[in-house]
Amino acid sequence: MAGIGGLVGGSALDDELKRSNVVRLRGLPFNATESDISDFFKGLEMGPDGVVICVNFQGRSTGQAYAQFATAEQANKALERNRQHIGSRYIEVFKGHPADMQGALRMVGRGSGALSGSGGLINMAIPGMTGNPDMRYTGVVRMRGMPYSCTSADIMAFFKGMQLAPDGVFLCTHADGRPTGEAFVEFVNEETAVRAMQLHREPMGTRYVELFRSTKGEMMTAVQQRVYGMFSSIGGFSQFGALAQTSAFQLPGMMGPFGVQGLPGFNLAAFQAAGIGDRPTGEAFVEFISSDEAQRAMERHRQNIGSRYIELFRATKRLIIHIEQLRCRSYTYSL
C-alpha cells in the first residue's frame, strides 16, 4: 500500500490526509482518460467530483490525476491499487488533499470560481489573482529546492499557522509542465511573510527549502509567463470550456491594431495579448457579437496582414478576461 504522501512529516497535514476521501495518481499514460481511471478503481464508490486529470497551462496532461471517493474508507481501499497497471504503465497511488484536487478541477473549468463575466463563472483560478493587487507588495516568499512531488497542500502544511492569501500558491513548472522545485507563496500581510522567512532551510521531506523575500510583481511575472506559454500550441484551450459556445478567437501573428471588415457582428475592438510592461507579443483576441460571427471570422485563417499570414484559433471569453487582468496588473507594476 502506498504511503500517506505528505512531505511535512508529523504535521496536521498527515491527519488531514488520513481523513481525506481523495487519492492522487502518478505515472499515468499521457493518453489516459477519466474513464480509464474510473475503470482502474472499478468496484469502489466514487464521490461527486469523480476523477480529474491534471493539466498544465498549455492544457496538456501532466501524467497525474486526482480521484474522489464517497468516503475516506473507500479512498483507503483505493490505495491497494498502488502499482497496478493502466496499459503498460504501473500507477502510483497516494492519499491526496481535497484542496489540491479542487485546484486541478479549476484548471479544467470544473471548480468553483471567484470571478464572473458575461460568459458565466470563470472557473480557472489563476494563482495571485485574488490577493493583493499592488505589484510592489512584499508579502510574498519565493521557495527553492522543494521536492518535485510537492503539492499546494504540502506548502500550506510547511507554513502551518501562517495565513496564506486565497489562491496564494504558485508552483513553478518548465514549459512541458515538469516542476522546477520552486514556488511563490503570497501571505495575507507583509508581517506574516517576514515570519515565514524564519523557516529558511527547514526540511520538506528529505530536502531543505530555501526561502527568499519577493514581491507580487515577481510572482505575477512568473504566472504570466506560464499563462502565455499555452499560446504556443494549437488546441491548448480545452481547459477553458466548450469552444463551440464561444464568441472569441485568438490571433497569433498580429501586427498592430486593426478592424475586421465585412463582419457586422464585430462587437469589441481587438486588443493585443500584451506581455510584461505592455510589450506586444504578436497575439490578440477579438470578440464578436455571436458564436456564428466568430465562426465566420475563422474563414480568414492564414490570410495576410501586410506580408504576414495570420493564424486564427477559437478561444473563450473567460480566457480573454483572465489575460487582460494579468496584462493590467503587469502594466501597474511597470509604472
Side-chain angles (χ1 to χ4, degrees), residues 19-291:
R19 297 192 299 268
S20 172
N21 64 338
V22 171
V23 301
R24 178 167 63 95
L25 296 88
R26 188 170 65 189
L28 292 167
F30 289 113
N31 62 351
T33 66
E34 292 181 358
S35 295
D36 293 330
I37 298 171
S38 296
D39 291 342
F40 182 77
F41 291 119
K42 187 175 180 180
L44 299 176
E45 185 179 357
M46 306 299 293
D49 285 333
V51 174
V52 59
I53 294 175
C54 301
V55 298
N56 59 24
F57 278 114
Q58 292 177 313
R60 297 170 179 162
S61 170
T62 65
Q64 300 191 60
Y66 289 92
Q68 183 192 67
F69 294 88
T71 64
E73 289 73 21
Q74 290 286 293
N76 289 336
K77 290 183 178 180
L79 297 179
E80 298 173 6
R81 311 283 171 97
N82 182 49
R83 298 185 74 85
Q84 293 187 20
H85 284 71
I86 293 179
S88 61
R89 300 285 298 272
Y90 71 82
I91 308 302
E92 296 178 281
V93 183
F94 310 89
K95 260 307 188 63
H97 197 284
D100 289 326
M101 182 169 184
Q102 288 303 310
L105 286 166
R106 289 197 294 269
M107 281 295 293
V108 297
R110 288 170 53 192
S112 59
L115 301 174
S116 62
S118 61
L121 281 178
I122 301 171
N123 290 320
M124 193 190 81
I126 293 181
M129 291 299 292
T130 55
N132 194 307
D134 185 356
M135 296 295 104
R136 294 163 294 187
Y137 176 63
T138 60
V140 176
V141 168
R142 180 169 64 90
M143 307 177 70
R144 187 173 70 185
M146 301 183 304
Y148 293 134
S149 60
C150 180
T151 67
S152 296
D154 292 320
I155 291 175
M156 289 187 285
F158 185 80
F159 292 114
K160 179 184 176 183
M162 304 177 195
Q163 188 175 358
L164 276 60
D167 293 317
V169 176
F170 176 60
L171 292 162
C172 301
T173 63
H174 296 289
D176 60 3
R178 292 179 296 111
T180 65
E182 298 189 3
F184 287 87
V185 181
E186 181 181 358
F187 295 89
V188 291
N189 54 51
E190 295 174 343
E191 291 76 17
T192 304
V194 171
R195 285 178 51 213
M197 290 299 300
Q198 297 173 8
L199 297 177
H200 178 58
R201 299 182 70 86
E202 287 292 311
M204 178 181 284
T206 59
R207 305 192 62 174
Y208 68 84
V209 178
E210 296 178 286
L211 303 181
F212 306 91
R213 293 296 300 274
S214 187
T215 66
K216 186 62 174 285
E218 291 176 353
M219 178 180 182
M220 295 311 294
T221 294
V223 172
Q224 189 176 40
Q225 288 171 341
R226 292 305 305 124
V227 172
Y228 286 147
M230 69 187 170
F231 293 158
S232 62
S233 61
I234 298 174
F237 298 96
S238 58
Q239 70 269 35
F240 298 100
L243 297 183
Q245 299 177 358
T246 70
S247 60
F249 66 85
Q250 179 199 11
L251 294 82
M254 174 182 164
M255 297 175 60
F258 68 102
V260 182
Q261 298 179 354
L263 293 174
F266 182 70
N267 185 43
L268 184 67
F271 66 83
Q272 292 181 325
I276 301 159
D278 229 16
R279 293 192 305 267
T281 65
E283 300 177 355
F285 292 90
V286 180
E287 182 183 6
F288 295 87
I289 199 168
S290 70
S291 182

Side-chain angles (χ1 to χ4, degrees), residues 251 253-259 302-310:
L251 294 82
M254 174 182 164
M255 297 175 60
F258 68 102
R302 298 184 72 87
Q303 293 188 17
N304 282 47
I305 294 179
S307 60
R308 299 283 300 272
Y309 70 83
I310 308 301

